[in-house]
Each structure stands twice: as structure tokens, then as C-alpha cells.
Amino acid sequence: LTLIEVIVNKKLEKLGLSREGSFENRWNRLSSKAEEKGMRLPDLLAGPFYKARSKVIHEGKEPSPEEIEIIIKYLTLCSDSLKKI
């Protein structure tokens, strides 16, 4: 999950956008840039993914098998979407 932070920061840098602020702020910056190009990024701050991410990153807990599936789905979708910007 922390790899998504690296990917987001690298993409922001490549696009000449600020890497400052929270993950939410940085993701929103990328989302705005994608919308300028007529694209839409997945909502990584939506319910199931965000809960699983918080559980792992902020609480240090292991995700359940279901949460692992959610994480993999969202990270794949995110990676694919970021490549298109």
C-alpha cells in the first residue's frame, strides 16, 4: 500500500505538480489533472479501499482476505489509470 504513495508522488513530479500535502490532497491533484485531459481516476478515498488502507497503514493491522482482494483491485485500477495521464 505504501507503494501507491511512491507512484502518486512520481506521477505528480512527472506532471510538474506539487507533492505537498496529505495523500488525499495529492490524489485530488492528480484527479483534477486527469479530468483536464478528459479522464477519470478511481476514487481511492471511497469506502472499502480507504478503510482497508487505513487499517493497514495507520493501525498496523493485517488485511483480511476480502480486504486483500479489494486492495489488489483498486491498486491495479489505480496503476492502469495513472499510466494513461
Side-chain angles (χ1 to χ4, degrees):
L1 283 171
T2 56
L3 183 58
I4 192 68
E5 303 267 349
V6 174
I7 292 168
V8 165
N9 285 338
K10 290 286 185 187
K11 193 62 173 186
L12 286 167
E13 185 177 314
K14 183 178 178 182
L15 295 171
L17 299 172
S18 172
R19 295 173 21 190
E20 298 297 315
S22 68
F23 177 77
E24 181 177 358
N25 290 16
R26 289 178 280 139
W27 185 256
N28 287 338
R29 238 176 262 126
L30 282 177
S31 290
S32 293
K33 189 64 159 181
E35 288 177 11
E36 286 175 17
K37 296 183 176 196
M39 301 170 56
R40 185 176 165 105
L41 293 182
D43 186 3
L44 289 186
L45 305 174
F49 177 78
Y50 197 70
K51 287 178 187 175
R53 179 185 176 275
S54 293
K55 176 181 173 179
V56 172
I57 291 179
H58 300 294
E59 297 174 27
K61 296 180 180 175
E62 289 190 30
S64 68
E66 295 81 17
E67 289 169 328
I68 290 172
E69 287 182 34
I70 290 168
I71 290 167
I72 291 170
K73 174 186 166 196
Y74 272 84
L75 292 182
T76 300
L77 183 60
C78 172
S79 177
D80 292 345
S81 297
L82 288 175
K83 288 175 187 175
K84 296 175 185 176
I85 299 178

